[in-house]
Amino acid sequence: MMNALTPTVPQADPGAAYRAQKEEIDAAIARVLASGWYILGEEGRAFEAEFAAWLGEGQHAVGCANGTDALVLILRGLGIGPGATVATVSHTAVATVAAIEMAGATPLLLDIDPDTYTMDPDELLSVLEEPPPGLPPIRAVIPVHLYGQAADIRPILGPCREAGVKVIEDVSQAHGATLGEAKLGTLGDAAAFSLYPTKNLGALGDAGVLATADAELAERIAALRQYGWKRRYVSDLVGVNSRLDELQAAVLRVRLPRLEAANARRQAIAAAYDAALSGGPVSPPMRRPGATHVFHQYVVRSREREAVQARLKEQGVATAIHYPMPVHAQPAYAGRVPLGPAGCVETEAAAREILSLPIFPEMTEEQVERVCSALAAL
Ligand SMILES: *Cc1c(COP(=O)(O)O)cnc(C)c1O
């Protein structure tokens, strides 16, 4: 039973992930400290090779400073910037939209499918057919695989290819999830992964990685991330500084082999929540048929969200909202970024009703049970 001394179940706990792997991580960090080489070295190269191999045959991976930069580097590597529109969703981490503007392009924000919270492919197909007036041509689309689940990108891949529109997957919340036979991140022209500490694959600080099957694009981006250097001190391209450091790469090498098990644990926790919610007033999240969900977040929806959140809090269960304000409603973007013809109506409704329950692989059985009994009592 809950009493005043029972600690709250946190919504996420990156410290628990470190403690669970302390020996291996400490050894990896000590190895880098002793090596005397801290940026773009053997650890980074090994992580890139291991990540590319994990993702799939023929993939090339380039490490960088964070997930936002991974998107910016892909856009720049593809030559997409000023004079181009990039379609994405408003229901995402602001980083997705910020990256488009950092590259100099114009974002176009589309609505979501209300069951899976991911881009409505029909709206994308309609803007490809009939581009919104007054905008530069659409050159790329960034579908976001949200909460651990694939966006419905199969219907858009063919039309995008025909129209010369690049598909850049934002896989920052879905490392290891699949759509059909394919791992997310292998379906489009390139893919960006944030490796922020709370992501399914996370570093102990900022980190990111991008992947593509296009070897030339990977090579160009590898130069762009370090001042445009292909050889030392000579900039063949106008680049930036967005490097992955050796400490983070070494930590990620400890964690990559454990990702599948960590995702399986997230799925088991999700199944326990499904059972606890069954027959109650709040429905479990929908799963896209033919896809695997890796539960970066377990998101429920309720018109009485604030009441549900308060009742869970009373039971010692922390929750979060991802995200409470759509990008197009945020002060820096409101009235300025163009929306698609659907006007982001479903996005706004979702932002009012969604709630993310605690989910992280190191949750103890006792913590899971505590959340389940709070859910069963809703
Ligand atoms: C976390 C996240 C990002 C940004 O990653 P950073 O590493 O914080 O730059 C981009 N897109 C999505 C969907 C994310 O969840």
Side-chain angles (χ1 to χ4, degrees):
M1 250 351 275
M2 259 287 280
N3 63 48
L5 295 175
T6 314
T8 294
V9 181
Q11 204 272 326
D13 192 353
Y18 167 63
R19 289 189 296 277
Q21 308 158 346
K22 186 176 181 328
E23 263 180 50
E24 273 186 85
I25 287 179
D26 287 357
I29 287 175
R31 182 175 76 227
V32 174
L33 294 180
S35 78
W37 193 282
Y38 305 118
I39 300 241
L40 293 189
E42 268 170 45
E43 298 286 346
R45 277 193 293 276
F47 172 66
E48 288 171 341
E50 287 158 12
F51 188 84
W54 166 80
L55 194 57
E57 215 179 304
Q59 291 291 318
H60 306 271
V62 181
C64 62
N66 55 65
T68 312
D69 279 2
L71 288 166
V72 177
L73 286 165
I74 292 169
L75 288 166
R76 291 194 50 168
L78 289 168
I80 294 168
T85 293
V86 177
T88 189
V89 283
S90 187
H91 189 66
T92 182
V94 73
T96 314
V97 182
I100 295 169
E101 292 200 327
M102 284 168 74
T106 302
L108 171 65
L109 302 185
L110 305 181
D111 210 355
I112 52 169
D113 155 45
D115 292 331
T116 57
Y117 307 106
T118 54
M119 180 182 284
D120 174 1
D122 292 334
E123 193 185 11
L124 179 77
L125 295 176
S126 85
V127 297
L128 289 184
E129 204 137 289
E130 201 177 323
L135 292 184
I138 298 173
R139 298 273 318 279
V141 52
I142 306 183
V144 180
H145 302 304
L146 202 71
Y147 303 149
Q149 168 152 263
D152 188 13
I153 64 173
R154 281 176 291 202
I156 71 169
L157 292 172
C160 283
R161 196 172 310 119
E162 272 163 41
V165 171
K166 300 293 183 187
V167 176
I168 302 163
E169 297 174 76
D170 185 342
V171 203
S172 297
Q173 300 195 8
H175 316 68
T178 59
L179 183 60
E181 299 291 295
K183 249 188 199 140
L184 300 186
T186 62
L187 289 149
D189 294 283
F193 299 77
S194 169
L195 304 170
Y196 183 79
T198 57
K199 307 284 164 138
N200 290 44
L201 178 63
L204 293 174
D206 272 316
V209 65
L210 59 92
T212 176
D214 179 341
E216 250 173 68
L217 176 64
E219 208 174 297
R220 193 154 60 243
I221 292 173
L224 285 174
R225 76 168 161 187
Q226 180 166 239
Y227 320 128
W229 287 356
K230 288 181 182 164
R231 19 182 191 156
R232 220 166 164 69
Y233 307 124
V234 182
S235 295
D236 293 302
L237 305 164
V238 177
V240 297
N241 174 3
S242 180
R243 297 175 295 219
L244 174 64
D245 71 68
E246 292 285 281
L247 286 170
Q248 299 307 338
V251 169
L252 290 161
R253 292 184 67 201
V254 172
R255 289 183 163 177
L256 182 61
R258 295 171 161 184
L259 175 59
E260 309 294 341
N263 282 344
R265 174 67 180 149
R266 288 174 183 270
Q267 289 162 341
I269 296 166
Y273 291 176
D274 287 351
L277 288 168
S278 98
V282 173
S283 305
M286 297 269 216
R287 273 70 152 181
R288 184 179 304 294
T292 55
H293 195 318
V294 294
F295 290 97
H296 174 59
Q297 301 295 350
Y298 185 99
V299 175
V300 294
R301 183 164 184 163
S302 168
R303 295 241 163 97
E304 272 92 57
R305 175 181 60 199
E306 274 63 38
V308 170
Q309 191 168 30
R311 256 176 287 154
L312 293 174
K313 190 175 173 203
E314 276 165 28
Q315 299 294 311
V317 174
T319 54
I321 298 169
H322 301 98
Y323 297 91
M325 195 184 274
V327 175
H328 71 271
Q330 300 186 19
Y333 298 90
R336 187 172 70 73
V337 288
L339 305 186
C344 288
V345 176
E346 295 294 351
T347 295
E348 291 180 6
R352 288 191 294 271
E353 298 175 2
I354 48 174
L355 190 63
S356 307
L357 303 183
I359 196 156
F360 49 94
E362 299 76 24
M363 279 182 90
T364 63
E365 275 315 304
E366 196 247 314
Q367 286 176 315
V368 175
E369 275 163 31
R370 193 125 62 81
V371 178
C372 285
S373 45
L375 294 177
L378 282 176

